[in-house]
Amino acid sequence: MSNQDPVMRRSTLRAAALRVADDVLFPAAAEVDRTGVVPPSHWRALADAGLYGIAAPVEAGGPGLEFGEVTEILEVLVSGCLSTAFTWLQHHGVVISLSRTANPSLRDELLEPTVSGRLRAGVAYAGVVPTPPRMTATRTDDGWIFSGHAPFVSGWGVVDLLQISARDTATDDVVAAILPTADLSTDVRASPVELTAAAATATATVSLQVGGLAIPEARVVSRVTLDEFFANQNVGVRLNGTLPFGLVRRCTALLDVAGQAPAARRLRERADEARVTLDSAMNDAAALLAARADAARLALDAVAALVAARGGEALRRSNDAERLFREASFILVAASRPELKDLLVRRFADAPDPR
């Protein structure tokens, strides 16, 4: 694919995403939900389709997609299987970090295999978001000591690399390092998180307790001020903002099948409006979170419409509508933060949209 014309490469990746979502992920979504395990064949299908490197620029061996093209592919794959797509979504943050790092040896070692999908990656950055931080970094002569707690880390046992972030105890800078999960010492203890939304059990989410983890400087991918870190979080909020739209995509397709084309069309129109609002708020953190809250509410509206259309059969555990309803609850809280929670509470407490 690397020798293709850029326009052709983009078209090929979009077509591949649609094929994987509709032919591989969605037909198996009920079984993934039932077993709580994403089959290895899903990860191979994503890698074979070139979908692990979609966030990488051309100079890093990627396709050089526009941001909107990346988010469209994310939406498409979420519409196939939430557990698979959510776990895979974390990988792209590591690809972006490696493509921008000032650590050339780390980039040379890890960028190509992460872009190709030969190495799968996850992230643990939530420990630096609150104040005081849950995860701290203390300077040593030859690196850092990380200590603390990362509450939600997805893909445990699936990912080969973990990007873990901590706040410098001396400066409050955010230090991020990328470590092979196979090399993590007994200083890192993982405890499974039992998610009540069974639809997300297959994300293999754990809570990490880190006690005195020694990290050499050679594994550090970035060090930024706290202000820079939060400014960069807008990209992450937008990427996670693809989750509601992926659910809307699947619900509207199923509404069409159920003979509810007018409802499906109106929900797609609302999704288009919400997507434009979300994209236009990329430089305004408060507006971005408000748009993210609106998208989450829209996803719940879409799945509620599907459940209503399906009627009693939507109560059966094996029904797509029942599973998607549980996925909507996961989307309400995934990658959340206090401001977003408050916005969602107010959205649901207010009078319903008269439309």
Side-chain angles (χ1 to χ4, degrees):
M1 189 184 298
S2 60
N3 295 324
Q4 285 183 347
D5 173 84
V7 175
M8 183 63 71
R9 292 179 73 186
R10 294 168 182 175
S11 176
T12 300
L13 285 170
R14 184 180 184 279
L18 288 165
R19 176 183 55 76
V20 171
D22 289 342
D23 298 346
V24 179
L25 303 188
F26 185 67
E31 183 66 7
V32 169
D33 179 41
R34 187 187 69 80
T35 63
V37 176
V38 175
S41 57
H42 281 19
W43 311 124
R44 288 195 298 271
L46 291 166
D48 291 345
L51 296 170
Y52 273 98
I54 59 171
V58 172
E59 60 271 19
L65 299 183
E66 298 292 337
F67 190 72
E69 294 171 319
V70 172
T71 56
E72 181 186 16
I73 289 174
L74 299 182
E75 287 182 22
V76 166
L77 290 168
V78 170
S79 78
C81 174
L82 176 65
S83 290
T84 302
F86 184 77
T87 307
W88 164 84
L89 176 62
Q90 317 306 311
H91 178 92
H92 304 294
V94 180
V95 170
I96 292 170
S97 293
L98 286 167
S99 67
R100 297 176 177 175
T101 187
N103 183 339
S105 62
L106 195 65
R107 181 178 61 243
D108 292 345
E109 175 192 351
L110 298 178
L111 183 55
E112 188 280 327
T114 56
V115 167
S116 68
R118 287 191 291 109
L119 291 178
R120 299 188 289 266
V123 296
Y125 68 83
V128 304
V129 174
T131 298
R134 297 188 183 99
M135 189 73 67
T136 61
T138 303
R139 201 68 160 102
T140 65
D141 291 339
D142 57 354
W144 301 85
I145 297 293
F146 279 21
S147 298
H149 176 225
F152 292 98
V153 178
S154 296
W156 199 252
V158 173
V159 298
D160 306 293
L161 302 171
L162 181 68
Q163 179 172 313
I164 183 169
S165 300
R167 273 159 69 171
D168 185 349
T169 54
T171 67
D172 225 21
D173 287 352
V174 176
V175 181
I178 299 178
L179 306 169
T181 54
D183 294 347
L184 292 176
S185 67
T186 54
D187 296 320
V188 177
R189 187 173 71 253
S191 302
V193 176
E194 295 185 11
L195 299 174
T196 56
T201 299
T203 59
T205 298
V206 300
S207 172
L208 292 185
Q209 195 67 38
V210 179
L213 177 64
I215 296 177
E217 188 67 35
R219 307 309 300 182
V220 173
V221 68
S222 66
R223 179 179 178 181
V224 298
T225 67
L226 191 59
D227 287 342
E228 289 175 302
F229 171 81
F230 281 114
N232 291 335
Q233 287 303 291
N234 284 1
V235 173
V237 171
R238 178 61 186 93
L239 293 178
N240 280 296
T242 60
L243 299 176
F245 295 106
L247 192 69
V248 172
R249 279 177 178 264
R250 184 55 58 185
C251 288
T252 53
L254 294 173
L255 281 167
D256 281 335
V257 173
Q260 297 288 343
R265 182 170 58 253
R266 179 57 191 140
L267 286 164
R268 289 189 184 102
E269 291 169 352
R270 290 177 60 190
D272 289 342
E273 295 166 6
R275 192 182 293 106
V276 169
T277 301
L278 197 65
D279 288 337
S280 65
M282 282 292 292
N283 295 320
D284 184 335
L288 186 66
L289 285 176
R292 173 70 171 81
D294 288 338
R297 178 176 176 174
L298 172 60
L300 198 58
D301 287 347
V303 75
L306 179 62
V307 168
R310 287 282 180 88
E313 67 176 294
L315 301 179
R316 295 179 182 273
R317 183 58 183 264
S318 59
N319 192 272
D320 290 327
E322 186 273 338
R323 174 176 51 79
L324 290 167
F325 197 85
R326 284 183 284 113
E327 290 185 2
S329 68
F330 176 83
I331 287 171
L332 283 176
V333 299
S336 187
R337 57 185 64 183
E339 301 94 330
L340 182 55
K341 293 176 186 177
D342 291 343
L343 286 167
L344 281 167
V345 169
R346 292 201 295 272
R347 295 290 192 280
F348 290 118
D350 287 344
D353 189 328
R355 293 177 296 180

